[in-house]
Amino acid sequence: RYSHTGSHLSRKRQAFESKGGVAYIRSFLSEGDFRAILDECMRLRSKATLEKGSVATGRLGGRVDARSETHRRLMSDNTASKLTRALGIEVVPTEWPVELRTYRAGSSMEWHQDDAVYDPPPVEVVLTLENLSDTRTEWINSKGVVDFVQTEPNSCLVIQSGPSGPMHRVTTNRRGERTILKLTYAAPGHIRSDSGAHSAHESSFSDLGKTKGKKSKRRKQR
């Protein structure tokens, strides 16, 4: 399925682990894929609601329709292959919903480790769609030092979840907005975690509704 060499994956995996389980990938998607996803998600953003039961404060979001163009392009073998090459760890799409999230002025996320919703613990992938904010993502690297990045559009910030994952946070946004998509990828053969993380997170966001194309199709059937 994948054509990656063992030596390449080993080097990439060592780099990922040496940075504390964090990778930052610029220009992740093709221009066509990124534009299609951006256009669809900017239409959906107006339906976002305030997140519940989270370490984030003031963040809006929602679950993206699994039949959407966004889901089709991101939760795919092609995306899995790109992530595998970048991380040195073979990953595949999971059934966890793609989440659209927006940080407004005053929004933040306190220090935390991402819960492992699958076993073995998956990676959380943050694809930035738009960033006009001054917020930054900070994490504690393997040397105990705080690193940070202000994520650019069409970049991916990948963070290992579970007890071996890094503590990280999103600083308080003072101006503008930052809109991202959060994806969950895991190792082949992953199973649902029995830690309770699933139920704890499933109610955080509501569905954003069907995509425009799906709504039009339903009206025609009437």
Side-chain angles (χ1 to χ4, degrees):
R1 182 178 179 178
Y2 300 106
S3 60
H4 319 305
T5 65
S7 59
H8 171 84
L9 294 182
S10 179
R11 290 194 301 271
K12 289 295 186 178
R13 180 167 190 157
Q14 289 174 6
F16 180 61
E17 292 174 348
S18 70
K19 294 176 182 177
V22 176
Y24 183 61
I25 311 166
R26 292 182 170 89
S27 302
F28 182 69
L29 298 174
S30 68
E31 184 177 345
D33 279 346
F34 182 69
R35 176 54 57 184
I37 290 167
L38 179 64
D39 289 348
E40 183 172 67
C41 288
M42 290 302 101
R43 293 194 300 268
L44 291 173
R45 189 168 60 170
S46 63
K47 301 178 182 179
T49 57
L50 189 65
E51 186 176 4
K52 298 177 292 185
S54 168
V55 294
T57 299
R59 186 170 67 186
L60 301 178
R63 294 187 293 265
V64 177
D65 190 342
R67 296 167 292 181
S68 67
E69 193 68 18
T70 293
H71 192 281
R72 183 185 72 80
R73 291 177 188 248
L74 290 178
M75 306 308 289
S76 65
D77 288 346
N78 182 51
T79 301
S81 183
K82 287 184 177 183
L83 289 170
T84 295
R85 288 197 303 270
L87 304 176
I89 302 169
E90 186 175 0
V91 293
V92 297
T94 69
E95 295 180 353
W96 193 261
V98 174
E99 295 175 350
L100 179 69
R101 299 175 171 182
T102 294
Y103 288 85
R104 308 170 294 171
S107 299
S108 65
M109 178 180 273
E110 64 187 57
W111 287 105
H112 69 288
Q113 286 176 304
D114 288 332
D115 292 330
V117 294
Y118 292 103
D119 186 18
V123 292
E124 304 290 352
V125 182
V126 174
L127 174 68
T128 297
L129 299 177
E130 181 182 73
N131 191 2
L132 302 174
S133 73
D134 65 351
T135 190
R136 65 187 198 178
T137 303
E138 299 181 340
W139 64 92
I140 300 176
N141 66 24
S142 58
K143 297 179 180 179
V145 177
V146 176
D147 274 341
F148 72 91
V149 67
Q150 289 184 291
T151 59
E152 305 162 271
N154 198 19
S155 69
C156 268
L157 180 64
V158 185
I159 298 179
Q160 177 64 57
S161 70
S164 65
M167 292 291 291
H168 59 284
R169 71 169 181 169
V170 177
T171 61
T172 301
N173 182 26
R174 294 175 296 181
R175 60 177 181 272
E177 290 187 339
R178 173 176 175 252
T179 299
I180 64 172
L181 287 167
K182 198 270 289 182
L183 326 171
T184 301
Y185 269 77
H190 61 273
I191 60 174
R192 180 173 172 144
S193 171
D194 60 2
S195 66
H198 261 266
S199 57
H201 288 276
E202 283 174 340
S203 60
S204 294
F205 285 126
S206 58
D207 293 331
L208 290 173
K210 296 183 177 64
T211 62
K212 186 175 181 181
K214 294 293 180 181
K215 285 184 178 180
S216 298
K217 183 176 180 181
R218 187 173 65 177
R219 284 197 294 268
K220 288 178 181 179
Q221 290 173 339
R222 290 177 180 174

